[in-house]
Amino acid sequence: IQQQDSSLSNQRDNQKYSFVGFSSPKNQNLMGNNKIGFNKLVKNKSQEFFEILEGEWILTKNLILNQNQNKSVFNGYVIFERVASMSSVLLYSEIKEVQVENHTEQRIREITQQYLFDLSDWPVKVCLVEDIDSVSSKDVLHTIPIDTTFGSTSHFSNSFEDRVVEGDFTIYNENSLRWKLTIEDPDRTVCIDRSLIRGELRQS
């Protein structure tokens, strides 16, 4: 799954991701007309998003490649956590448990995929992470106009030079959410459906 997800990213450049550099023209106009009001709105939405998502979750991820030709299911955990050096960012980490060879009761944890949710602007930008210290504009996977109202679904559709990404992000309540997306590029179509339920990692 990690290989399939990470292959969606383009070649990286050396430009550090500024977390404020990808405002849409609409948002730029809003900031020009009422910058204080817009920034306050973004801050309030960001705080709600932090409060709802921060912490540990139990994950079920279904991945379908090329319209049902190849299916896989991933069961593991997700941690949403703040990044000390980036006050407007949540780091999303998918974690799996792996049994240690020749030790039936001993398991180790591995991070299989990471994303950054940039909350410095609206809509929220989701970036694929390979190296958190060098995330660039090339790493933006898609944006989400997230509605933090329980039960509301936020739809998104983003077109890039080499792919189209669309899907839904639903926060059912403080203990349940779903993140579903479809990525289409010239070579394939990938559907990723993540269901998260609030829960803690088991003690190893």
Side-chain angles (χ1 to χ4, degrees):
I1 293 175
Q2 181 183 18
Q3 183 179 6
Q4 291 170 328
D5 277 356
S6 61
S7 65
L8 299 172
S9 61
N10 296 326
Q11 291 183 345
R12 273 42 177 177
D13 59 25
N14 294 324
Q15 179 186 3
K16 291 294 183 68
Y17 185 44
S18 67
F19 297 102
V20 294
F22 305 103
S23 301
S24 66
K26 180 179 180 181
N27 286 350
Q28 290 173 353
N29 291 336
L30 282 172
M31 292 178 71
N33 295 333
N34 189 0
K35 185 175 181 179
I36 295 176
F38 179 78
N39 288 343
K40 183 177 180 180
L41 174 65
V42 171
K43 184 177 181 180
N44 290 342
K45 284 179 173 288
S46 298
Q47 186 59 38
E48 291 176 0
F49 194 74
F50 278 130
E51 291 174 354
I52 294 171
L53 295 188
E54 192 173 13
E56 300 175 359
W57 300 77
I58 298 170
L59 168 69
T60 300
K61 180 167 78 171
N62 292 281
L63 189 146
I64 302 174
L65 181 64
N66 292 335
Q67 297 181 346
N68 299 327
Q69 293 182 16
N70 189 358
K71 296 182 180 180
S72 62
V73 179
F74 174 91
N75 293 302
Y77 299 92
V78 164
I79 297 179
F80 279 99
E81 57 188 332
R82 300 179 190 236
V83 180
S85 60
M86 305 172 186
S87 60
S88 61
V89 167
L90 267 181
L91 177 64
Y92 168 106
S93 300
E94 289 184 2
I95 299 169
K96 70 176 180 179
E97 290 187 338
V98 180
Q99 183 174 311
V100 178
E101 187 175 358
N102 299 324
H103 295 273
T104 57
E105 296 183 0
Q106 186 175 356
R107 304 175 74 86
I108 59 175
R109 293 179 179 132
E110 294 181 356
I111 294 176
T112 61
Q113 193 65 67
Q114 288 185 305
Y115 298 90
L116 284 179
F117 283 69
D118 171 20
L119 307 175
S120 65
D121 196 6
W122 219 255
V124 171
K125 299 171 188 68
V126 181
C127 301
L128 182 64
V129 175
E130 291 185 356
D131 180 357
I132 194 170
D133 293 323
S134 60
V135 181
S136 75
S137 60
K138 296 291 186 180
D139 299 290
V140 177
L141 180 63
H142 63 83
T143 63
I144 312 175
I146 291 179
D147 187 344
T148 53
T149 305
F150 290 158
S152 297
T153 296
S154 303
H155 305 282
F156 56 88
S157 180
N158 300 145
S159 296
F160 300 89
E161 291 184 1
D162 61 340
R163 68 186 186 276
V164 175
V165 182
E166 58 183 10
D168 306 303
F169 195 98
T170 304
I171 301 176
Y172 295 109
N173 52 54
E174 61 186 5
N175 297 313
S176 178
L177 65 91
R178 186 179 186 184
W179 178 19
K180 184 177 181 180
L181 66 152
T182 299
I183 303 120
E184 296 185 22
D185 62 33
D187 298 322
R188 63 181 182 174
T189 299
V190 180
C191 298
I192 307 171
D193 190 354
R194 296 174 172 91
S195 295
L196 289 84
I197 299 175
R198 178 70 69 179
E200 297 182 353
L201 275 69
R202 295 181 297 180
Q203 296 297 318
S204 58

